Amino acid sequence: MRTLLRAWLAGTNLGPDRAYDLLLAVNEACTNAVEHGHRGDGRTVVLHATATHSIRITVSDSGTWRTPRADEEVDRGRGLPMMNALMPGTRVVSGADGTTVEFVASPTTEERSPDTGQRSRRSSAEQP
């Protein structure tokens, strides 16, 4: 999935840093769908990606949420906050038919600040 999505993202107008953030967020959503949504039942996780006015990627499974057990390791539960940090506005919809995680990225350019060398992002609406 990562290899195919990385190649697909290279053909979009996202800058390399933004594309990598999206790749990591989608990877986490897929991992969560397999590990938590299906828990090894062998059912399919569906990834759908489109690029028209914006990049829209959804990850869907037909599994069910599982309430964390009290005896689980405390070093868990960072997936959704990580996805939101990488892709603000991440949307999760869960119901009886499964869970869908949606990511939307507006086209951006990335520029390095001459003063700090750090990247800044601007949407296409902010372009001069």
Side-chain angles (χ1 to χ4, degrees):
M1 179 279 307
R2 284 176 66 106
T3 301
L4 292 173
L5 184 57
R6 183 181 291 115
W8 184 82
L9 286 168
T12 70
N13 56 358
L14 289 182
D17 286 350
R18 188 75 170 146
Y20 188 71
D21 289 350
L22 183 54
L23 179 68
L24 288 178
V26 171
N27 183 73
E28 181 64 20
C30 289
T31 300
N32 284 352
V34 170
E35 182 179 354
H36 303 296
H38 288 299
R39 295 183 286 287
D41 64 10
R43 289 186 286 170
T44 303
V45 173
V46 177
L47 184 137
H48 185 259
T50 60
T52 51
H53 300 293
S54 61
I55 308 299
R56 181 175 182 268
I57 298 177
T58 58
V59 177
S60 302
D61 67 61
S62 57
T64 57
W65 281 89
R66 177 181 63 86
T67 304
R69 298 185 314 256
D71 64 341
E72 284 186 320
E73 296 178 30
V74 293
D75 195 28
R76 308 281 304 179
R78 294 184 177 91
L80 290 174
M82 182 180 83
M83 286 184 270
N84 277 307
L86 291 165
M87 293 301 302
T90 296
R91 192 170 75 116
V92 179
V93 178
S94 186
D97 294 336
T99 300
T100 297
V101 180
E102 178 184 56
F103 305 97
V104 177
S106 297
T108 60
T109 60
E110 295 176 341
E111 299 176 351
R112 287 199 181 265
S113 166
D115 299 329
T116 65
Q118 293 182 338
R119 293 184 190 273
S120 63
R121 295 183 183 140
R122 296 189 330 186
S123 72
S124 58
E126 299 172 314
Q127 300 301 315

